[in-house]
Amino acid sequence: MPLQNRVTPTGEIIATPHRGMFTGNRGIIHDPATKTLLKKRWSSPAWIVCLCEFRGWRRPVMARRSWTELFFLDEATAFAAGHRPCFFCRRDDAKRFRVAWETGNGVSNARAKEIDAQLHVERLDHGRKRLHPLPMPLAELPDGAVVQQGDDCFLVAQRKALLWSPAGYVPHASALDHPMLLTPPSTLCTIIAGYQPVLHPTARS
């Protein structure tokens, strides 16, 4: 049985055999004896997106009392859930993200803790995922933005809405009536300012 360690765009952590393109964490939120999640879904405001492979290091998943390995379909999924690039294993990407974050949000000399604090406000609403109104028409959102309508999540790519699933994206023929933004507004501004999230190959097929 797959472990419960795959993150959806809403930030929910589910069990699915599809690992995805990235890993990451929110601190320690599992019991290594049972390899199951604790009741809490985060223990640190630093929610990061990491590489699945780095310097040949290998970590047995949920095997010790260390950060809980989570997995994401792609970077757009991780961003929608409220994560940002890791400054250790993805230093160059994290620096580009910070520069674009500063540009898009009109700030300077932003530290990782300040970005995390802003994201924490934007991703959670009394412990639940915070939804945001669209700041522009759906077709004008940048590639990598993620929205929700009903129980479904959609990636915006090439001015189209693609239905999210743990295995990838699929075309969606029906128009979305009143979607809400899942990607935190400050992250959306970062994407608009030039940071391009890594998308799953199914987003381009």
Side-chain angles (χ1 to χ4, degrees), residues 101-181:
W101 197 89
E102 291 174 344
T103 300
N105 292 281
V107 299
S108 59
N109 300 317
R111 297 180 300 170
K113 287 185 177 180
E114 295 168 342
I115 295 174
D116 291 336
Q118 181 63 33
L119 288 176
H120 205 60
V121 171
E122 296 178 359
R123 65 191 168 213
L124 293 177
D125 181 10
H126 295 91
R128 302 182 66 180
K129 185 69 171 80
R130 184 182 293 275
L131 300 176
H132 305 271
L134 297 191
M136 61 192 71
L138 182 70
E140 295 180 15
L141 288 174
D143 287 8
V146 180
V147 301
Q148 182 178 20
Q149 181 166 291
D151 295 328
D152 294 323
C153 301
F154 300 87
L155 170 76
V156 176
Q158 300 174 338
R159 298 189 176 185
K160 297 179 181 178
L162 303 176
L163 179 64
W164 183 94
S165 79
Y169 300 103
V170 295
H172 184 74
S174 302
L176 303 185
D177 296 327
H178 300 288
M180 297 292 286
L181 182 67

